[in-house]
Amino acid sequence: MISYYLPSASKIGVGYQVHELANALVRRGHHVDVFSECPPVEGALYGHRHIALTGRFRTFRFATALRRVDFSSYDALHAHGDDYWLWRRRAPRHIRTIHGSCFEEALHIRGIRERLRMVALGFSEILASLVADETAVVSPRTRVWTPWVRRIIPNGVDTERFVPDAARRAARPTVLFVGTWSNRKRGKDLAEAFVRDVLPAVPDARLEMVCRDAPPDPGPGIDVLGALSDDELVAAFQRAWVFCLPSDYEGFGIPYAEAMATGLPVVATPNIGARYVTDEGRAGVLSPLDGIGAALRRLLQDEERRAALGAASLARVEEFRLSRVVDEYEALYRGAPTVAHPGGVHEGRG
């Protein structure tokens, strides 16, 4: 596998998905090596091949460095980015997963330099989709930018680890956020909405933020948890009453699926990933940013509605079970034919 990001040094969701997928494949008896700029992940079951880089423009230089790697001893090369220079067959099977659209992200990101970088990466995604033998996107809307890609394989969540546990549910109304304070995750906006719209009506409510860049005192009723271990993260989901991530853009949004696997109602802004994961709001609450606080307030005050959405979450997350995702990729590695689905799109499960 190729992934610039891994959880050892990055909070980017792609790295976490690669880590989970690689571990799951090893448990099935496969040998997996991950080529990454990040250091090894503690406790990982797969092999690690470090591509050491220094200086600027590392993501682009990472792709160039991969040109010098001999992948011929592997049966399959599965890239989660940065394979756009690998246009000659470097392994019997070359698979590419596009975890979102950099063009789409460029519409939302701040700063001219970052926007130009995202546009450049968007063109690299197009090139990569043409280089690989098979390309998959993680959500249907991602195909807007690469309509020739016919296969959809969602990101997966380990439903044996992320499970409901009523005994751990907090006694006080608790909202959980997993993301960043600034930029597209909009933790700051959520904190302001919580203080303005939730606390006056639900004064014992808490907002727990799994967040590394939040200020030390973000506001009343708000606890910043920082970075958590895998077990601590599961416990945080199990403790919460509601999960909220008001991102302006998500290609998929793995925390949505993790929350749903633990039986939580999900409140989100209607970004591409949230719309897909919540089945267009049938398994969650989609609200514009200025209505997020009111949506949370209503949900915290309505036990029956929370229970109904929790049940819908558990039903919907079956589409995103990690074991199903691994099944799909194993078929791609072996060169299995694509299955046609209604509407003419050839998709993976989900």
Side-chain angles (χ1 to χ4, degrees), residues 10 26 53 80-81 103 125 127 152 155 187 193 236 248-250 265 300:
S10 171
V26 171
L53 298 170
H80 299 265
F103 287 137
E125 288 172 342
L127 181 56
I152 302 168
N155 284 323
D248 60 10
Y249 174 73
E250 295 286 345
L300 290 175

Side-chain angles (χ1 to χ4, degrees), residues 171-224:
R172 302 171 64 178
T174 302
V175 178
L176 180 66
F177 165 83
V178 178
T180 55
W181 179 260
S182 56
N183 298 327
R184 65 183 173 90
K185 305 291 184 177
R186 301 200 288 201
K188 179 177 182 290
D189 296 288
L190 173 58
E192 292 173 351
F194 176 81
V195 172
R196 182 185 64 244
D197 300 325
V198 176
L199 279 184
V202 191
D204 60 338
R206 306 295 298 179
L207 170 60
E208 294 191 347
M209 307 189 76
V210 181
C211 185
R212 302 181 187 183
D213 61 339
D217 184 15
I222 301 176
D223 297 319
V224 178

Side-chain angles (χ1 to χ4, degrees), residues 263-347:
L264 283 183
V266 168
V267 176
T269 42
N271 61 69
I272 290 169
R275 291 177 59 185
Y276 174 49
V277 177
T278 67
D279 194 19
E280 297 293 338
R282 285 181 282 271
V285 176
L286 300 178
S287 168
L289 184 61
D290 60 7
I292 282 288
L296 287 171
R297 182 186 67 241
R298 289 191 294 267
L299 201 49
L300 290 175
Q301 294 175 321
D302 190 340
E303 183 177 359
E304 185 175 340
R305 178 65 171 154
R306 291 199 309 274
L309 284 172
S313 287
L314 289 172
R316 175 62 174 163
V317 84
E318 285 297 303
E319 298 293 322
F320 310 128
R321 282 192 292 111
L322 183 61
S323 59
R324 297 184 68 172
V325 172
V326 175
D327 288 343
E328 291 290 334
Y329 281 123
E330 281 186 320
L332 280 187
Y333 300 155
R334 295 188 175 107
T338 302
V339 177
H341 285 249
V345 177
H346 293 69
E347 301 178 344

Side-chain angles (χ1 to χ4, degrees), residues 75 150 225:
D75 298 305
R150 310 300 291 172
L225 306 183

